[in-house]
Amino acid sequence: MMTGSHCYCFFGIISIFFALIIHTLSSTTPPHFCLHHQREALLEFRDEFPIDEFDPNPWNKSSPDCCLWKGVTCDDRSGQVISLNLADTSLNGSFKTNSSLFRLQYLRHLKLSYCDIQGEIPSSLGNLSRLTLIDLSHNFLVGEIPASIGNLKRLRHVELGANTLIGAIPSSLGKLNQLRYLSLAANELTGDIPSSLGNLSSLLELRLSINHLVGQVPASIGNLNELQAISLSQNNLNGTIPISFSNLTKLYHISLRSNNFTSTLPSDMSVFHNLEHFDVAANSFLGSFPKSLFTIPSLQVVYLDDNQFIGPIEFVNTSSSSSSSSSSPKLEILSLASNKFIGLVPESISKFLNLGEINLSGNNFNGPIPRSISKLANLQTLNLANNNLKGQVPAYLLRVTTVTLSNNFFSSYENPSEETLIEALDLNSNSFQEPFPRWICNTKGLRFLDLSNNLFNGSIPPCLEDSIASFSDLILRNNSFSGPLPDIFASATELRSLDVSRNHLEGSLPKSLVNCKALQLVNMESNRIKDVFPSWLGSLPSLHVLILRSNEFHGTLHVFIGFRSLRIIDISRNDFTGTLPPHCFSSWRGMTVLREEDDPYMADIINESVFYRNSMVIGVKGVELSFERIQQDFRAIDISGNRIHGKIPESLSFLKELHLLNLSGNVFTSHIPRSLANLTKLETLDLSRNKLSGQIPQDLGQLSSLSYMNFSSNLLKGLVPRGTQFQSQNCSSFSDNDRLFGLEEICGKIQVSNPTSQQPEQLSEPEEELFSWTAAAIAYGPGVFCGLVIGHIFTSYYHKIWSKKNTISGR
């Protein structure tokens, strides 16, 4: 029999047991089905957008519980929809002003990024008062950001980046005092940064980059004491950085790149003691080297390039306030390029043992490369181009992956005693006067080699065959190499460009080049190569540029089979003879249509910091003007200065993308084909110094792009076309054609001869320098195809037109 105490204990145990059962059952009870009106609102919302057959409706209408649908989250207790995440679902339509979405009044999270949504953001969005997160990024949204977003006082995260939103940033965003993340980057926003953003006291990240914002950064930004990351890059902001910026001591990321700031940096950068990433490149910041910046132990990335900083650089000791756990500074990337720094590159740069990339190019540094750089075991990229450095190139640099030393005064190199790791070496435009570096024959991974614009001499060694299998670019132009170009290309299947122009090479073209299936450019200009036309190069599927200018090539040109990707050919100033068959250009698809898919090698060769940049030289009456790069869609044919005779081939009219045609200085006869009027993109036409007869086709007057032409020294007759482009030419473009008439407006003279004779009096205007051009090399740039190197001699009129079309672009 149980006593009272035992009975009390027993019932207590039973009570605990049942309580545990009830708790267990309640904790495993499934959530309520979503409410009927919520389910209907979701279905109506999805039906507002067209169904993509490749991305069908993710919700099963036959399933009664919408809380189990993809991307839908419900409250466990009430069944109300509280989160909608359809990221990466192709909705491919626009929001309706009265969209059923806005009936989901308990919605907290709305994530519709990468959904192909178009149209405007409805102001009705401001009615979802419980929202804490909005992500509509990476869509095609247009119009202005609705001010009603400022009504959503619970918002903590707003992401509207990567759309096409316009107008000003609404000042109502300053009401969102719980906001922690705001990104409006990569839109078309204009106007000032509203000072009301300084009210966002909880904000951790502010990203407004890649817009069209103007004015100064408001001082109120300095009130954001919790801010950890700010990105204002690629806008049109100007003026100074507000003094209050120094209050933002928790920042780890600062990016102000590509604006118009003109101030100095804060005098004491060490206040940003958490800073990891600092980017103020491409502005006009002034002042001396910010030494205090480099005392921050957490600093990892610094971009100061393309500003107006002056004076020497100096790296002082790391701040004593750093934690004892920091074994060494963490700096990994240092770019000081394109400033006005002077003096020596300090030995103390080696204190940053984690450096993987150094770019000091485009300054006025002098002296040798500091030996201490050999201590940087992690260094992958070193760019010291465009300085006044001199001395010997140390062998330890050959352990670095990418080395750019162009445009300095280096005169020798140290032979390596160990295996090299280098993949890209640019020694362009220095003072080397040595034979070809034999150690290059022992490299295994070298891809990019530029020794151009030096005084390297002797022969190109056959042992290069041992390493050339890895090469993508071999650039040896403008040196003093002599002898034959060795037949070493059998294994060079990765080679994209070969430029040995302006040397003293002899012999014939190496037949092994036919194995270089990736080859885009061959430049043999200004050597002494004696060979017939290499028609076998026509089998190369990606050959864009072929330059054989100013050599001793000879023989007929009757075989132009293949060359399907050719864009530029310059075989001028040789001794080619014979006639051109009527259909010889019919297979040249690279000049017929623009097809980017024909160019599988447009990506950068190795690294953003290495690219093959060439210059374009325009000579106007003996004065050479240098430009860089031309548009990648440029197409040109120059076969001038040979002895080719017969008719101009009709198949030239198939080359719809042709911009430049130079047939001057040959022995072409018969008429100028009327079909040349089909070349609607033609900008330059030179048919001078031939034996062409008949009239200049009147249809050529309709070529609106034709800005330079030369028909001089032929047997032409009749009326000069009346088109605007013809009437703007120099008189010398038509000289030495005694039977041409209609030149009064062009030459500024009234003809006095009998008009029935169709023979005007001899024109007395002195003839200008005749047009010719030189094409040189293809260029590769960061992530893009960077164009071609063309040397030209134009008239002053054509130079004026051309120079407006070409820009210089850097890293």
Side-chain angles (χ1 to χ4, degrees):
M1 174 178 263
M2 288 191 296
T3 64
S5 61
H6 289 122
C7 181
Y8 177 81
C9 182
F10 173 76
F11 282 110
I13 293 172
I14 293 297
S15 298
I16 294 172
F17 176 74
F18 278 107
L20 288 171
I21 291 176
I22 292 171
H23 175 76
T24 302
L25 290 175
S26 65
S27 65
T28 58
T29 300
H32 295 292
F33 286 163
C34 73
L35 303 178
H36 177 73
H37 72 277
Q38 299 273 283
R39 181 177 183 276
E40 291 304 309
L42 286 172
L43 290 175
E44 288 180 30
F45 171 69
R46 187 59 183 91
D47 290 341
E48 292 172 11
F49 299 92
I51 302 298
D52 192 324
E53 61 178 313
F54 300 105
D55 191 4
N57 196 322
W59 299 333
N60 185 357
K61 294 183 179 182
S62 63
S63 172
D65 189 1
C66 67
C67 297
L68 301 178
W69 290 352
K70 173 187 173 183
V72 177
T73 303
C74 298
D75 182 84
D76 285 346
R77 294 179 179 273
S78 66
Q80 300 281 2
V81 175
I82 59 173
S83 178
L84 182 59
N85 182 356
L86 296 181
D88 297 300
T89 301
S90 180
L91 298 178
N92 195 28
S94 302
F95 287 117
K96 292 184 177 179
T97 304
N98 59 347
S99 173
S100 59
L101 173 69
F102 306 125
R103 302 209 305 263
L104 302 176
Q105 287 296 311
Y106 288 83
L107 204 60
R108 301 174 196 167
H109 292 177
L110 177 61
K111 189 167 186 177
L112 300 177
S113 58
Y114 296 97
C115 289
D116 299 324
I117 300 175
Q118 305 150 20
E120 299 185 359
I121 302 173
S123 60
S124 313
L125 184 66
N127 297 330
L128 296 177
S129 60
R130 291 177 173 83
L131 276 178
T132 63
L133 180 148
I134 298 174
D135 186 353
L136 303 178
S137 63
H138 296 89
N139 283 293
F140 302 99
L141 295 169
V142 297
E144 298 186 357
I145 299 172
S148 61
I149 287 183
N151 299 332
L152 305 178
K153 300 299 179 59
R154 300 185 185 183
L155 273 176
R156 296 166 63 87
H157 186 113
V158 174
E159 171 63 273
L160 301 179
N163 282 286
T164 318
L165 299 170
I166 62 172
I169 298 173
S171 60
S172 61
L173 288 175
K175 300 176 182 179
L176 305 177
N177 55 18
Q178 295 189 44
L179 199 63
R180 298 172 68 83
Y181 181 91
L182 175 60
S183 176
L184 308 178
N187 279 287
E188 302 289 336
L189 299 173
T190 56
D192 298 333
I193 299 175
S195 60
S196 62
L197 295 188
N199 299 330
L200 304 178
S201 57
S202 299
L203 199 64
L204 301 180
E205 294 193 29
L206 176 62
R207 302 190 181 275
L208 305 178
S209 58
I210 317 178
N211 280 288
H212 305 291
L213 302 175
V214 297
Q216 298 192 23
V217 178
S220 61
I221 293 295
N223 298 333
L224 306 180
N225 296 324
E226 300 299 318
L227 200 64
Q228 297 177 8
I230 183 169
S231 179
L232 307 178
S233 61
Q234 292 183 249
N235 280 286
N236 297 308
L237 300 170
N238 57 43
T240 64
I241 296 179
I243 297 175
S244 61
F245 217 75
S246 297
N247 298 334
L248 308 179
T249 58
K250 294 184 179 181
L251 283 172
Y252 72 86
H253 181 104
I254 299 175
S255 181
L256 307 178
R257 170 185 287 266
S258 298
N259 280 285
N260 300 310
F261 292 111
T262 55
S263 65
T264 59
L265 296 178
S267 57
D268 184 9
M269 298 292 293
S270 64
V271 297
F272 303 109
H273 48 80
N274 294 312
L275 195 60
E276 297 177 3
H277 183 109
F278 185 71
D279 185 354
V280 296
N283 281 282
S284 297
F285 281 109
L286 306 167
S288 57
F289 182 69
K291 294 185 290 186
S292 61
L293 176 66
F294 294 90
T295 65
I296 303 173
S298 58
L299 197 63
Q300 297 179 27
V301 176
V302 174
Y303 290 107
L304 302 180
D305 42 297
D306 199 9
N307 279 287
Q308 301 293 322
F309 294 113
I310 61 174
I313 64 174
E314 180 184 359
F315 301 103
V316 297
N317 292 331
T318 304
S319 173
S320 59
S321 62
S322 61
S323 63
S324 58
S325 61
S326 300
S327 57
S328 66
K330 297 180 179 179
L331 191 64
E332 297 176 3
I333 297 176
L334 173 63
S335 181
L336 309 179
S338 300
N339 281 283
K340 298 178 181 179
F341 292 122
I342 61 173
L344 301 174
V345 178
E347 296 279 349
S348 58
I349 197 171
S350 63
K351 65 182 281 187
F352 301 105
L353 294 177
N354 291 306
L355 273 173
E357 179 179 336
I358 300 175
N359 188 352
L360 307 182
S361 64
N363 285 284
N364 293 304
F365 292 116
N366 55 46
I369 298 174
R371 305 295 298 185
S372 64
I373 289 182
S374 63
K375 300 176 183 179
L376 303 178
N378 296 320
L379 191 62
Q380 297 292 310
T381 301
L382 177 65
N383 190 345
L384 302 176
N386 298 290
N387 280 288
N388 297 311
L389 299 171
K390 61 183 180 180
Q392 188 177 59
V393 177
Y396 66 78
L397 288 187
L398 303 180
R399 302 197 306 266
V400 180
T401 303
T402 300
V403 177
T404 306
L405 303 177
S406 57
N407 289 285
N408 279 287
F409 297 96
F410 295 110
S411 57
S412 63
Y413 51 84
E414 184 181 4
N415 289 312
S417 59
E418 56 187 85
E419 183 179 357
T420 66
L421 301 175
I422 196 160
E423 295 180 6
L425 177 62
D426 185 355
L427 300 180
N428 170 35
S429 301
N430 276 281
S431 301
F432 294 100
Q433 301 185 44
E434 304 186 7
F436 187 95
R438 293 282 176 150
W439 58 263
I440 291 176
C441 296
N442 300 322
T443 60
K444 299 301 180 185
L446 188 61
R447 291 174 53 78
F448 180 96
L449 178 63
D450 187 350
L451 305 182
S452 61
N453 301 313
N454 282 285
L455 292 172
F456 284 107
N457 53 58
S459 61
I460 298 173
C463 68
L464 195 58
E465 184 176 18
D466 298 333
S467 59
I468 204 168
S470 62
F471 276 41
S472 63
D473 295 84
L474 178 59
I475 306 154
L476 306 179
R477 75 172 180 278
N478 200 22
N479 278 286
S480 296
F481 291 118
S482 59
L485 179 61
D487 202 357
I488 56 175
F489 301 97
S491 63
T493 56
E494 302 296 321
L495 193 65
R496 301 179 191 179
S497 60
L498 173 64
D499 186 348
V500 295
S501 59
R502 302 182 187 183
N503 281 284
H504 308 297
L505 298 175
E506 303 171 345
S508 58
L509 285 186
K511 293 296 193 295
S512 57
L513 283 172
V514 77
N515 297 308
C516 303
K517 300 301 182 184
L519 202 58
Q520 291 188 353
L521 176 139
V522 175
N523 187 2
M524 301 285 170
E525 181 219 337
S526 297
N527 279 286
R528 301 167 184 169
I529 298 174
K530 192 170 186 177
D531 202 349
V532 297
F533 180 75
S535 57
W536 41 273
L537 288 177
S539 64
L540 297 180
S542 301
L543 186 63
H544 298 321
V545 181
L546 177 61
I547 312 299
L548 306 179
R549 173 186 175 93
S550 298
N551 278 281
E552 298 177 20
F553 285 94
H554 55 86
T556 61
L557 286 173
H558 62 277
V559 180
F560 271 156
I561 298 173
F563 299 102
R564 68 186 188 193
S565 298
L566 201 62
R567 299 176 171 188
I568 290 182
I569 182 171
D570 183 353
I571 55 175
S572 62
R573 301 187 183 183
N574 281 286
D575 194 27
F576 290 116
T577 59
T579 62
L580 298 178
H583 301 291
C584 63
F585 299 105
S586 57
S587 64
W588 290 18
R589 288 188 54 79
M591 298 191 190
T592 303
V593 293
L594 283 179
R595 293 177 54 190
E596 291 306 316
E597 59 267 29
D598 289 338
D599 302 323
Y601 309 112
M602 294 301 157
D604 187 22
I605 302 168
I606 299 167
N607 187 286
E608 285 188 356
S609 63
V610 171
F611 51 91
Y612 178 19
R613 173 175 293 185
N614 300 279
S615 63
M616 180 174 70
V617 178
I618 296 178
V620 182
K621 296 183 179 179
V623 179
E624 289 191 345
L625 304 173
S626 293
F627 296 81
E628 289 191 350
R629 313 255 290 265
I630 66 171
Q631 297 171 348
Q632 71 178 66
D633 60 354
F634 187 71
R635 306 290 191 270
I637 295 175
D638 188 346
I639 60 176
S640 62
N642 285 284
R643 292 189 292 138
I644 303 167
H645 60 272
K647 295 182 178 181
I648 296 174
E650 291 283 349
S651 56
L652 278 171
S653 63
F654 299 157
L655 310 183
K656 305 290 188 183
E657 300 298 325
L658 196 63
H659 296 82
L660 183 151
L661 176 62
N662 187 357
L663 307 181
S664 65
N666 282 285
V667 202
F668 285 109
T669 56
S670 190
H671 300 276
I672 299 172
R674 289 185 57 190
S675 58
L676 291 184
N678 295 332
L679 304 179
T680 56
K681 295 187 178 181
L682 199 64
E683 299 174 5
T684 301
L685 175 64
D686 192 342
L687 303 179
S688 64
R689 294 176 291 133
N690 280 285
K691 295 185 178 181
L692 297 169
S693 58
Q695 297 186 353
I696 299 175
Q698 295 295 311
D699 293 347
L700 294 183
Q702 302 173 13
L703 295 179
S704 59
S705 297
L706 191 59
S707 54
Y708 174 85
M709 61 190 78
N710 195 340
F711 299 94
S712 63
S713 301
N714 278 287
L715 305 172
L716 299 171
K717 65 180 181 180
L719 180 67
V720 173
R722 309 299 293 177
T724 302
Q725 303 301 326
F726 274 77
Q727 298 304 309
S728 63
Q729 297 300 304
N730 290 301
C731 186
S732 59
S733 295
F734 307 96
S735 64
D736 198 14
N737 287 282
D738 292 345
R739 300 178 65 189
L740 280 179
F741 64 91
L743 295 166
E744 299 92 337
E745 296 181 14
I746 298 174
C747 297
K749 282 182 176 253
I750 298 176
Q751 297 170 331
V752 297
S753 59
N754 184 356
T756 59
S757 69
Q758 298 186 356
Q759 292 183 7
E761 66 179 9
Q762 185 67 36
L763 302 171
S764 59
E765 179 179 323
E767 184 175 349
E768 293 191 6
E769 183 176 349
L770 295 175
F771 159 84
S772 64
W773 70 294
T774 304
I778 221 166
Y780 296 91
V784 296
F785 179 80
C786 293
L788 306 164
V789 167
I790 312 291
H792 289 278
I793 298 177
F794 285 146
T795 64
S796 58
Y797 175 80
Y798 189 72
H799 161 60
K800 186 183 299 182
I801 299 297
W802 187 266
S803 62
K804 291 180 180 178
K805 288 185 149 188
N806 298 278
T807 59
I808 299 175
S809 59
R811 179 169 180 255

